[in-house]
Amino acid sequence: MMDALSVVSQLRDLASEPQNREAIVKDQGCLPGLVLFLDHRDREVLFATLQTLRYLAELSPNISLMKNELGMMVSLENLIEREGLSVDIKALAKEVYDILRAPPQPVHCTPQRKKSQFFINSSNRKAKSVTLHIQGLDSTDQRGLCEEALLKVRGVISFTFQMASKRCTVRIRSDLPTESLASAIAATKVLSAQQVVRNEAGEEVFIPLNSSGLEVQQNAAIPDYLPEDNSPEKESDRAVSRTTAKEDSSGSWLSAAAGFLSKTFYW
């Protein structure tokens, strides 16, 4: 059964895939539904909604449609000014608001990237790779703390570190929320994580992750470290990965989400 958090969380995961962003914004139900979610009382729903909008705004043609969506800018302004919200929510709301308000950038014709450049071992649809920038990852001691935290998370398959850039590339089950990794890392009290993704221009950007209020399922025992045929570290300089969503399932899920939104809210 769908609820607001599950709908917006799955929509956020779809929006994290560059090839899905145009379809989501053009869908008749999804963008209006996201605007309504900006007034939701649940803090997790708010944060996931803002993350989704941040992903969608990475595609330049989406910005004007999002900005002109009824209630979008007003709702973002209200979030920025609302009392009692966390710093993370207000900062992300301000970031999305500023992106939508910015003057349109000139479009440069550049060769289209091959889809495979965004994905590591994308043939495995039961797993995905997530790249994290970890604040505080300055020494082998902090690396050990991070390793212990990740090994406790049920659904983590393997991970590699790039200490010079404070990065960790994590292979996880496709149904494991990325926020679970951030929560586990934040539990060390000395480390914090942001997700690293590439925008439409191929530039790296940091996406904040909600690390509070999320229950992390832990392993009863430390799992075996599973080898990968294609090590994420080999391609870490050019690839930030999430497993690609199937186009047919994306379309059917968007229809289901739009149906949920139309039944839940009254205009």
Side-chain angles (χ1 to χ4, degrees):
M1 181 177 179
M2 286 188 173
D3 57 31
L5 183 58
S6 65
V7 167
V8 75
S9 296
Q10 292 183 56
L11 193 57
R12 176 198 59 206
D13 290 343
L14 285 175
S16 71
E17 304 283 1
Q19 72 272 14
N20 294 331
R21 293 168 186 167
E22 181 180 1
I24 292 173
V25 168
K26 289 185 176 180
D27 185 270
Q28 294 183 353
C30 289
L31 199 56
L34 287 170
V35 173
L36 291 172
F37 280 148
L38 289 175
D39 293 324
H40 206 280
R41 294 182 179 181
D42 190 304
R43 301 296 190 266
E44 290 186 51
V45 172
L46 283 177
F47 195 81
T49 300
L50 289 168
Q51 287 179 308
T52 305
L53 293 173
R54 181 65 180 83
Y55 280 129
L56 296 176
E58 291 295 334
L59 186 64
S60 299
N62 284 350
I63 292 178
S64 61
L65 294 174
M66 295 171 65
K67 180 179 179 180
N68 294 326
E69 181 64 37
L70 182 64
M72 175 71 76
M73 302 304 287
V74 172
S75 296
L76 289 171
E77 288 176 352
N78 290 339
L79 277 182
I80 295 169
E81 298 173 359
R82 188 191 301 181
E83 298 293 333
L85 293 179
S86 68
V87 174
D88 288 343
I89 290 177
K90 287 194 169 190
L92 191 51
K94 180 70 162 57
E95 184 177 355
V96 174
Y97 181 80
D98 288 343
I99 291 173
L100 298 186
R101 278 194 61 191
Q105 298 294 322
V107 178
H108 300 286
C109 294
T110 56
Q112 187 174 3
R113 288 177 173 267
K114 291 183 180 180
K115 186 176 177 180
S116 60
Q117 289 183 313
F118 283 96
F119 307 107
I120 302 170
N121 199 13
S122 59
S123 60
N124 183 357
R125 297 185 182 275
K126 294 182 180 179
K128 60 184 177 181
S129 292
V130 176
T131 297
L132 302 174
H133 176 81
I134 303 176
Q135 190 66 35
L137 189 65
D138 301 316
S139 69
T140 54
D141 290 338
Q142 276 73 34
R143 172 174 173 162
L145 285 175
C146 189
E147 289 176 347
E148 291 179 8
L150 292 174
L151 284 170
K152 291 178 182 178
V153 180
R154 184 181 300 173
V156 169
I157 300 171
S158 63
F159 47 81
T160 57
F161 289 89
Q162 299 86 45
M163 295 295 292
S165 56
K166 299 184 180 181
R167 301 284 176 87
C168 180
T169 302
V170 191
R171 291 279 292 167
I172 60 177
R173 286 176 44 176
S174 59
D175 58 351
L176 178 67
T178 306
E179 286 78 10
S180 296
L181 304 178
S183 294
I185 291 171
T188 65
K189 307 298 184 183
V190 294
L191 302 172
S192 61
Q194 292 178 296
Q195 187 176 2
V196 184
V197 300
R198 290 190 187 274
N199 61 18
E200 187 186 16
E203 300 167 335
E204 290 187 350
V205 293
F206 293 169
I207 302 295
L209 296 171
N210 186 12
S211 59
S212 61
L214 181 66
E215 182 179 354
V216 179
Q217 292 187 338
Q218 296 189 352
N219 291 303
I222 295 179
D224 293 332
Y225 188 87
L226 303 181
E228 294 288 345
D229 294 334
N230 298 322
S231 171
E233 192 168 16
K234 294 179 183 177
E235 300 187 69
S236 60
D237 61 334
R238 68 182 183 90
V240 178
S241 171
R242 276 179 176 268
T243 304
T244 180
K246 295 182 180 179
E247 293 182 4
D248 54 349
S249 62
S250 298
S252 62
W253 189 88
L254 285 176
S255 298
F260 169 83
L261 293 170
S262 64
K263 293 177 182 177
T264 303
F265 300 104
Y266 297 88
W267 299 88

